[in-house]
Amino acid sequence: MSKILVTGGAGYIGSHAVKLLLEKKYQVAVVDNLCRGYRQPIAALQKKFGRSSLKFYRADLRNEKEMVKVFTQEKPEAVLHFAALCLVNESVEKPEKYFENNVCGSLNLLKAMILQKTKYLVFSSTCAVYGESKYLPVDEKHPLSPANPYGESKLITEKMISWIGERHGIRQVMLRYFNVSGASSDGTIGDSKKPSQLLIQNAVRGALKIEPFKLVCPKVKTRDGTPVRDYVNVEDLAEAHLKALDYLKRGNQSDIFNLGTGQGSSVLEIIKQVQEITGTKFKINKGKVRKGEYAEVYADIKKAKSKLGWRSKRTIKDSINSLVKWYQKHPNGWDN
Ligand SMILES: NC(=O)c1ccc[n+]([C@@H]2O[C@H](COP(=O)([O-])OP(=O)(O)OC[C@H]3O[C@@H](n4cnc5c(N)ncnc54)[C@H](O)[C@@H]3O)[C@@H](O)[C@H]2O)c1
């Protein structure tokens, strides 16, 4: 089976993709500098699938020499590129950090791919490239107008990948995820962001009394005054990456796909659902309001359905239940 290199594979979404790749018998090499990721999911997966199926390199994408070394050693057929800094609020405070890590890191990755003649790239992009929606649902032709440096860093990286890929024969799929939620359904892998920026994760932590829940969204013009987002399950997302790889290997051209459910939920609706499913009416404390947020966004998912053959199968209820399972076993997430 071919070798896939996964950047950011020790992080939240990346570790779920690594798990699925291993289940599908791929050989995997993970590159992660552990600035936001953890050794534990890698160790757990190595224990289950064997060290020979999953290699781990603690390396930084900003270090070109390190990247070239890993590629020379591994000679991967394809790359799933998850590694990035992705906190909207932090990106507004420290934009330079986001452009250096997300854009320069991706450039080094591309240079290593060119040298090693790696053919395929699947890039983790985001609906943040669209900014405030001009119409709903948001399709891939929607105007691109990021509202924060995080989204801008992803848009610049998309463009860079596209130009360099075209010149050097690297075919690519950009996956623009909407809001990611859930944990693996067996409760073995999950989210460990500290503090988490993700609403469903935080609401479940509030319900399980792990940490008081804080409402940090601004007041916006929506049906109940709280932001509306499209929450897509992390295992569904992992499946989309395999579909994207398959799509490229079948000889299709580079393309861009939205990954969401096609439906929006407001912050208050999500809180209500978490309270109902867990049977816990937790207190809603007001926290420091986040910067760089917008009112309403949800995805048009027709293109991913028709061209990739992907659709989200898991519901918000499934995501909530998987997170309950995960946090019951790992109240503080990974710690190492
Ligand atoms: N979580 C979401 O809701 C969401 C939504 C849209 C897009 N995305 C994108 O998905 C990807 C994964 O997000 P996540 O939620 O799993 O984040 P995460 O922070 O859990 O994982 C990112 C991983 O990348 C690693 N990393 C960061 N910079 C690195 C560098 N310079 N060198 C090596 N490793 C580095 C981190 O250590 C971490 O393990 C990101 O690219 C993000 O922009 C996430």
Side-chain angles (χ1 to χ4, degrees):
M1 195 49 116
S2 60
K3 166 85 52 85
I4 310 294
L5 189 137
V6 181
T7 76
Y12 170 42
I13 307 170
S15 59
H16 287 80
V18 170
K19 180 171 178 280
L20 184 63
L21 285 168
L22 292 168
E23 282 165 0
K24 300 286 179 196
K25 312 261 182 274
Y26 283 90
Q27 292 286 310
V28 181
V30 166
V31 174
D32 200 302
N33 65 357
L34 300 181
C35 68
R36 301 277 154 101
Y38 299 87
R39 271 185 196 281
Q40 283 161 327
I42 300 295
L45 292 169
Q46 282 177 327
K47 195 170 166 204
K48 184 162 180 199
F49 295 95
R51 276 177 179 271
S52 57
S53 302
L54 174 57
K55 289 218 189 137
F56 178 66
Y57 293 86
R58 185 171 189 172
D60 195 317
L61 266 71
R62 289 167 300 175
N63 185 329
E64 190 183 339
K65 274 195 190 144
E66 273 185 8
M67 293 311 294
V68 169
K69 208 169 142 195
V70 174
F71 270 76
T72 313
Q73 208 156 321
E74 293 297 328
K75 301 182 177 41
E77 182 193 24
V79 174
L80 303 187
H81 178 27
F82 295 92
L85 298 176
C86 48
L87 304 179
V88 167
N89 210 38
E90 184 186 55
S91 82
V92 177
E93 299 297 334
K94 296 175 186 161
E96 63 288 359
K97 188 170 164 180
Y98 273 68
F99 292 112
E100 188 193 26
N101 195 75
N102 297 355
V103 180
C104 301
S106 299
L107 181 59
N108 287 334
L109 174 71
L110 286 162
K111 286 185 188 166
M113 289 181 72
I114 294 167
L115 277 180
Q116 204 51 52
K117 298 190 171 42
T118 312
K119 285 192 282 197
Y120 310 120
L121 172 64
V122 180
F123 175 57
S124 300
S125 190
T126 164
C127 64
V129 297
Y130 299 116
E132 187 68 75
S133 52
K134 305 268 184 293
Y135 57 83
L136 289 164
V138 171
D139 59 18
E140 291 82 355
K141 295 195 178 104
H142 185 283
L144 300 168
S145 179
N148 50 62
Y150 163 62
E152 192 73 54
S153 74
K154 286 284 174 172
L155 182 55
I156 294 172
T157 306
E158 276 194 10
K159 290 183 179 171
M160 189 170 75
I161 291 173
S162 173
W163 285 108
I164 293 176
E166 194 177 318
R167 166 68 183 83
H168 293 280
I170 300 169
R171 272 187 298 122
Q172 82 271 173
V173 164
M174 322 277 187
L175 297 176
R176 291 179 180 159
Y177 319 154
F178 282 59
N179 286 52
V180 188
S181 65
S184 69
S185 31
D186 60 9
T188 55
I189 305 279
D191 182 22
S192 299
K193 288 192 174 61
K194 291 183 194 90
S196 181
Q197 301 278 313
L198 304 177
L199 171 67
I200 305 189
Q201 269 79 328
N202 282 333
V204 171
R205 287 160 71 85
L208 298 182
K209 301 198 172 27
I210 295 169
E211 195 171 39
F213 176 76
K214 284 191 185 144
L215 194 69
V216 292
C217 57
K219 197 166 167 29
V220 286
K221 276 193 190 160
T222 55
R223 51 188 175 258
D224 61 15
T226 63
V228 169
R229 297 284 182 273
D230 184 341
Y231 294 91
V232 58
N233 178 275
V234 69
E235 288 191 319
D236 281 343
L237 270 194
E239 285 169 12
H241 287 75
L242 265 70
K243 298 255 183 200
L245 272 180
D246 193 46
Y247 171 89
L248 288 171
K249 285 193 199 174
R250 278 188 279 117
N252 289 299
Q253 287 312 304
S254 300
D255 214 333
I256 298 176
F257 299 97
N258 283 344
L259 297 181
T261 65
Q263 291 191 344
S265 304
S266 77
V267 171
L268 293 181
E269 287 161 0
I270 292 288
I271 293 171
K272 191 164 167 248
Q273 216 176 332
V274 171
Q275 291 187 332
E276 277 168 10
I277 291 169
T278 58
T280 315
K281 217 163 166 43
F282 54 87
K283 196 170 168 230
I284 301 170
N285 306 289
K286 287 229 159 126
K288 193 173 171 214
V289 172
R290 270 195 213 170
K291 293 178 187 163
E293 291 289 347
Y294 36 86
E296 183 159 8
V297 68
Y298 53 90
D300 184 321
I301 48 171
K302 284 200 277 299
K303 192 171 166 191
K305 255 188 197 167
S306 66
K307 286 190 150 186
L308 289 183
W310 175 87
R311 67 180 176 84
S312 72
K313 293 182 284 199
R314 296 162 179 91
T315 60
I316 291 179
K317 187 174 178 189
D318 294 330
S319 289
I320 295 171
N321 283 329
S322 65
L323 283 166
V324 169
K325 230 184 206 177
W326 159 249
Y327 284 126
Q328 277 172 342
K329 282 193 197 154
H330 308 84
N332 295 310
W334 305 117
D335 52 19
N336 171 1

